């Protein structure tokens, strides 16, 4: 299994539209890949820059990595998420 972490920083005014988009993204990911486990996380405190840090997590089989990243890239465009999203991939030991 691998874990994909996608994190980004937002102004609090951007959160309502983010939540709508994320809800739709997770629905589409689950429809295409029902075996992927997803979560949305948020840091409990604002960063020193006054922004909120959010993270999407995806747990999946290694053979789905390319399919998921392509799907996420497409969904980011579809739902107009214009902020910088940082991807990190980890493998279980």
């Amino acid at each position: 299994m691998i874990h994909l972490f996608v994190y980004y920083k937002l102004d609090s005014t951007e959160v309502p539209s983010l939540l709508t988009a994320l809800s739709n993204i997770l629905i589409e990911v689950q429809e295409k890949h029902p075996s992927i486990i997803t979560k949305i996380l948020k840091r409990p405190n604002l960063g020193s820059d006054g922004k909120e840090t959010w993270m999407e997590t995806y747990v999946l089989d290694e053979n789905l990595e390319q399919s998921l990243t392509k799907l996420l890239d497409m969904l980011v465009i579809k739902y107009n998420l214009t902020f910088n999203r940082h991807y990190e991939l980890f493998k279980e030991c």
Side-chain angles (χ1 to χ4, degrees):
M1 299 298 278
I2 58 173
H3 298 251
L4 175 64
F5 299 94
V6 183
Y7 61 95
Y8 36 87
K9 292 187 172 202
L10 302 170
D11 291 319
S12 59
T13 58
E14 298 173 285
V15 170
S17 61
L18 168 72
L19 292 175
T20 300
L22 281 180
S23 176
N24 290 325
I25 287 171
L26 295 184
I27 288 169
E28 291 197 42
V29 167
Q30 289 293 297
E31 286 175 351
K32 178 133 176 116
H33 300 293
S35 65
I36 294 177
I37 300 167
T38 62
K39 287 187 183 177
I40 303 298
L41 306 171
K42 180 182 100 160
R43 285 189 189 231
N45 301 313
L46 295 177
S48 59
D49 56 3
K51 294 188 175 191
E52 296 183 12
T53 302
W54 286 74
M55 181 180 296
E56 303 160 34
T57 68
Y58 302 88
V59 180
L60 57 143
D61 290 323
E62 288 185 46
N63 63 336
L64 293 176
E65 177 192 350
Q66 288 184 339
S67 179
L68 176 61
T69 54
K70 286 179 185 178
L71 177 61
L72 289 175
D73 289 344
M74 181 197 71
L75 294 173
V76 164
I77 294 167
K78 179 178 179 178
Y79 292 105
N80 197 31
L81 299 181
T82 58
F83 46 84
N84 286 331
R85 294 166 48 90
H86 305 280
Y87 293 74
E88 299 221 6
L89 190 64
F90 289 81
K91 182 177 181 176
E92 292 183 9
C93 299

